[in-house]
Amino acid sequence: MENGGLGLWGVPLAMLAGAIRVSTPFIFVSVGECLTERSGRINLGLEGTLVMGAMSAYAIALTTGSPWLGVLVAACVGLLLGALHAGICQLPRVNDIATGIGLMLLATGLAFFLGKPYIQPKAPNLGAIELGWWSGIPQVRQALQVNYLFVVGIVSAFALAWALKNTRWGLIVRLAGESVDAALAMGVPVGRVRLIATAIGGAFAGVGGAFLSLYYPGSWNEGLSSGQGLMAVALVIFARWDPIRCLWASLLFGAAGAISPALQSVGITEGYYLFSAAPYVLTLGLMIATCSPERALRGAPGELGAVR
Amino acid sequence: MIDRFTIGRRALLGGAAGAAALGLTGGADAQKPLVIGFIYVGPRDDYGYNQAHAEAAAILKKMPGLKVQEEEKVPETVAVEKTMESMINLDGATLVFPTSFGYFDPYMLKVAGKYPKIQFRHCGGLWTEGKHPMNTGSYFGYIDEAQYISGIVAGMTTKSGKLGFVAAKPIPQVLRNINAFTLGAQSVNPKITTQVIFTGDWALPVKEAEATNSMIAQGVDAVACHVDSPKVVIETAERAGIFTCGYHCNQAKLAPKGYLTGAEWNWERVYVGFVESLKANKPLENFVRGGLKEGYVRTSAYGPAVSAAAKEKADAAKTAILNGSLAIYKGALKDNKGNTVIPAGTSYVITEPKLESMNYLVEGVVGSTS
């Protein structure tokens, strides 16, 4: 302690810091996928979109010197990949799960191929807001360094939740997701709605990727995502298709991921493999705790292929 | 001229290659370049393990009469067999270096049995005489000697007395590095502790960054690591303004302020040795090992934060290792659970086989192997 350590207090602090640092890609991917799934489409390719977004953001930030331009390009790349997925899925007798997996492999492979020259060089990073100015403890200050994208992620989760509930546009999206027949009877162009929702969902995932390569951990390499995109898609089901709950689930996931290194750093070192599995155990536990024999998955959009 | 005869390209290359390998024809290797294959498990520009090999391969490329074939990101599965076969059959490689630990058994052994005239040398030190075929072999370096020097420099630089070590898995080679690093630091200040965090795998960027950050939160002010690519650890530490010691290859560029020194491989020494034996038609060695003295490992040039006193201590230790007067592992040595692991009066040379099965963390390391 005399050396500036916080002892056991470091663990909750590290979990808070972990929630802030690690959760952002989860927030973006899950909020984006939430929108896509509410329109009745599943996009499993978001893992690939995340990696592609990370690569393109890093490449653009490196060549132009502007990380924010990188974020923008990552969003555009995500938009295109999302639109591609939606476009393919609109063809007759196309399975969106299979297409999603195909696009995931395509996008990761493409990102690895195009990203080769960018592994070595160092691109400028996105800055952070210092929210810990009030504290004299450097650890607290460090934990409260918040990236702008984290704030954007939180705001967009609330905005999406509000829009889905209160706007005409949100009603159309939900309608397309709940019942195609009703939507068609209302004159809603289901295909176009899903195309737009999937493209926007892809753009969100692209921005999540940009966070990975431009802020935390803040460099581009091929193991960067290691399945985070897939986990985030699963989080949407866990969060019962509610953007706000997606946000909480992502934060929880980030915090749980920080448990293992945090415990090891205060000297609780036995069984760290078990602690490393904490996020997944936690997810399973919560899934079991919240499931009910009385009702099916509540909140699941009626048209969603996976739960029908 | 040979084109007039209907000899397949594969058969021709295979024959010529085999002949060159056996040293039967003096003329063949003058016309045909010697083809050498390198196989990496990850990207060759990862600032880490694979880059250390690729840098040495790049030096071989410049040697006359030599053709180097590389393939990266080859998984430790049956895929590596296919890569080896295509290097042998299509490119005419007569010497293959599968550089990743998991390539050895069964993949390399299987291909080596199929092509007895081709030479295989594997990085990792798994080859045993009598057990494995004679056209295979292994090479490795005692990099813990370089880690000991890093430990001295980190120990002289730290203000909090807390060092950190981000490690992948608790296997003997990793434990040797953690222990040597700690013993080096303790040689200048016995009170120093090393906090170790195991991430669980060789390349987990987000976990490595988290591990580094949570150690910084506990007051650690100098970190070393043993993961495939130290880039994330070094960059995270540099951003937080603490000191770093590199691993695998030189990462000074990633941390211009905080980089102290690092433990680097010097594989070109090993590879050039093999190639020269091959060119001189001498049989290739099967078991190659070496440390600082043999030049198989080296330390990075000192960074700007290293004090003159630290340089002096580190250089003195390096000289002592080179002339054999310093043993890193000597008794009485206790592990961090209080058991005596090396009795008083015993001192191990770096080649001691008992060190190869190290399964403990020495006193002063905060962490556990399970």
Side-chain angles (χ1 to χ4, degrees):
Chain A
M1 285 244 199
E2 66 271 34
N3 295 328
L6 286 180
L8 278 176
W9 278 107
V11 177
L13 186 68
M15 286 175 69
L16 172 73
I20 292 174
R21 284 191 297 244
V22 182
S23 61
T24 309
F26 289 117
I27 297 178
F28 273 96
V29 178
S30 61
V31 167
E33 177 71 2
C34 193
L35 172 65
T36 307
E37 291 195 12
R38 286 299 278 269
S39 79
R41 175 82 70 222
I42 282 185
N43 186 359
L44 281 182
L46 289 185
E47 166 78 10
T49 313
L50 188 78
V51 176
M52 195 66 193
M55 192 283 296
S56 48
Y58 200 74
I60 294 297
L62 187 74
T63 42
T64 64
S66 160
W68 288 104
L69 201 61
V71 175
L72 190 71
V73 170
C76 293
V77 168
L79 197 79
L80 286 178
L81 283 170
L84 179 66
H85 176 72
I88 295 173
C89 288
Q90 271 177 35
L91 302 171
R93 289 188 299 280
V94 170
N95 181 302
D96 48 1
I97 306 261
T99 312
I101 292 174
L103 276 179
M104 172 174 83
L105 297 174
L106 171 74
T108 23
L110 200 63
F112 289 176
F113 173 70
L114 297 172
K116 252 298 74 129
Y118 303 108
I119 297 177
Q120 283 264 349
K122 241 178 119 176
N125 271 29
L126 294 167
I129 319 168
E130 305 278 343
L131 288 183
W133 44 267
W134 47 270
S135 169
I137 307 167
Q139 285 87 343
V140 175
R141 284 198 191 183
Q142 200 212 342
L144 288 179
Q145 277 184 351
V146 173
N147 183 260
Y148 296 100
L149 284 180
F150 177 67
V151 181
V152 174
I154 293 177
V155 171
S156 56
F158 281 100
L160 179 66
W162 178 82
L164 279 175
K165 211 178 212 169
N166 296 312
T167 63
R168 185 184 145 68
W169 178 84
L171 179 75
I172 291 173
V173 169
R174 281 189 289 142
L175 190 59
E178 289 300 338
S179 165
V180 173
D181 295 340
L184 288 177
M186 295 269 295
V188 171
V190 175
R192 207 188 308 157
V193 169
R194 287 183 178 170
L195 179 81
I196 293 169
T198 313
I200 294 175
F204 269 93
V207 175
F211 178 89
L212 279 177
S213 66
L214 291 179
Y215 184 68
Y216 196 78
S219 68
W220 158 248
N221 64 57
E222 290 165 5
L224 188 61
S225 156
S226 43
Q228 289 181 65
L230 279 175
M231 282 315 297
V233 172
L235 279 185
V236 178
I237 304 171
F238 171 55
R240 302 278 188 267
W241 294 272
D242 178 348
I244 308 274
R245 269 187 258 160
C246 279
L247 173 66
W248 299 136
S250 303
L251 287 172
L252 192 70
F253 221 70
I259 289 180
S260 169
L263 283 179
Q264 285 191 63
S265 75
V266 295
I268 301 170
T269 53
E270 301 287 332
Y272 47 83
Y273 279 111
L274 212 58
F275 293 129
S276 296
Y280 314 103
V281 175
L282 199 74
T283 310
L284 270 178
L286 274 168
M287 285 292 248
I288 294 166
T290 55
C291 80
S292 156
E294 259 99 76
R295 48 185 161 76
L297 282 175
R298 204 179 47 173
E303 285 289 327
L304 214 53
V307 288
R308 210 164 13 191
Chain B
M1 287 293 120
I2 295 163
D3 286 353
R4 264 189 243 150
F5 304 97
T6 50
I7 303 174
R9 183 173 171 253
R10 279 185 196 191
L12 173 71
L13 282 174
L22 285 173
L24 293 176
T25 48
D29 43 354
Q31 290 160 5
K32 287 260 173 243
L34 194 58
V35 183
I36 298 174
F38 281 90
I39 307 169
Y40 314 120
V41 74
R44 62 169 173 245
D45 37 15
D46 61 353
Y47 266 109
Y49 184 82
N50 299 296
Q51 184 171 329
H53 286 288
E55 278 175 2
I59 289 167
L60 287 195
K61 274 185 196 165
K62 289 190 192 126
M63 291 172 70
L66 220 58
K67 211 174 138 228
V68 174
Q69 287 288 337
E70 294 173 286
E71 192 164 329
E72 51 185 351
K73 279 179 71 65
V74 180
E76 293 172 336
T77 61
V78 74
V80 71
E81 285 182 31
K82 285 182 194 146
T83 301
M84 281 188 269
E85 293 219 25
S86 87
M87 279 180 167
I88 293 163
N89 290 327
L90 300 178
D91 305 317
T94 51
L95 173 59
V96 181
F97 293 111
T99 60
S100 186
F101 194 81
Y103 291 157
F104 187 80
D105 194 10
Y107 313 113
M108 189 188 94
L109 293 176
K110 211 157 126 196
V111 180
K114 200 168 158 191
Y115 298 92
K117 288 179 180 169
I118 308 292
Q119 293 290 329
F120 300 82
R121 292 297 177 271
H122 172 259
C123 180
L126 292 170
W127 189 83
T128 318
E129 183 153 19
K131 193 173 157 199
H132 298 125
M134 288 307 284
N135 64 329
T136 62
S138 62
Y139 57 96
F140 208 63
Y142 298 112
I143 201 160
D144 39 348
E145 292 186 335
Q147 286 281 11
Y148 185 82
I149 307 291
S150 288
I152 294 177
V153 178
M156 291 292 288
T157 314
T158 175
K159 288 184 187 77
S160 67
K162 285 184 176 180
L163 308 179
F165 203 109
V166 181
K169 295 178 180 185
I171 63 167
Q173 260 147 29
V174 178
L175 298 177
R176 281 182 74 149
N177 281 333
I178 299 169
N179 289 337
F181 180 75
T182 310
L183 291 171
Q186 287 173 344
S187 75
V188 296
N189 177 0
K191 280 190 198 141
I192 285 179
T193 58
T194 303
Q195 175 79 57
V196 56
I197 292 185
F198 291 102
T199 58
D201 219 331
W202 298 107
L204 294 170
V206 176
K207 272 249 171 72
E208 288 154 18
E210 265 311 294
T212 315
N213 273 321
S214 45
M215 289 199 290
I216 295 166
Q218 290 298 325
V220 164
D221 65 352
V223 286
C225 61
H226 186 162
V227 292
D228 265 358
S229 169
K231 195 180 181 207
V232 167
V233 173
I234 305 273
E235 282 184 339
T236 309
E238 177 79 356
R239 236 172 274 148
I242 68 161
F243 303 110
T244 45
C245 295
Y247 190 58
H248 291 312
C249 60
N250 194 329
Q251 286 105 22
K253 256 194 249 165
L254 299 174
K257 276 190 227 131
Y259 194 75
L260 299 174
T261 182
E264 298 178 27
W265 303 103
N266 192 16
W267 293 127
E268 64 168 283
R269 242 344 240 284
V270 182
Y271 292 143
V272 171
F274 278 133
V275 168
E276 273 165 3
S277 309
L278 206 60
K279 278 191 165 172
N281 288 330
K282 275 193 272 185
L284 294 191
E285 278 185 85
N286 294 94
F287 193 79
V288 176
R289 280 292 179 99
L292 282 174
K293 195 176 171 186
E294 291 79 7
Y296 290 5
V297 301
R298 62 183 170 209
T299 55
S300 316
Y302 299 120
V306 182
S307 67
K311 281 181 195 167
E312 201 179 301
K313 290 240 174 182
D315 286 339
K318 212 188 282 177
T319 317
I321 288 175
L322 291 180
N323 67 26
S325 63
L326 190 151
I328 295 175
Y329 306 101
K330 57 177 184 287
L333 188 67
K334 279 188 179 170
D335 69 6
N336 64 356
K337 289 177 190 137
N339 310 316
T340 305
V341 284
I342 302 179
T346 313
S347 109
Y348 289 154
V349 286
I350 201 77
T351 50
E352 169 66 42
K354 273 184 196 158
L355 296 174
E356 311 258 318
S357 55
M358 189 175 281
N359 59 359
Y360 52 85
L361 292 162
V362 297
E363 199 173 13
V365 179
V366 185
S368 125
T369 55
S370 61

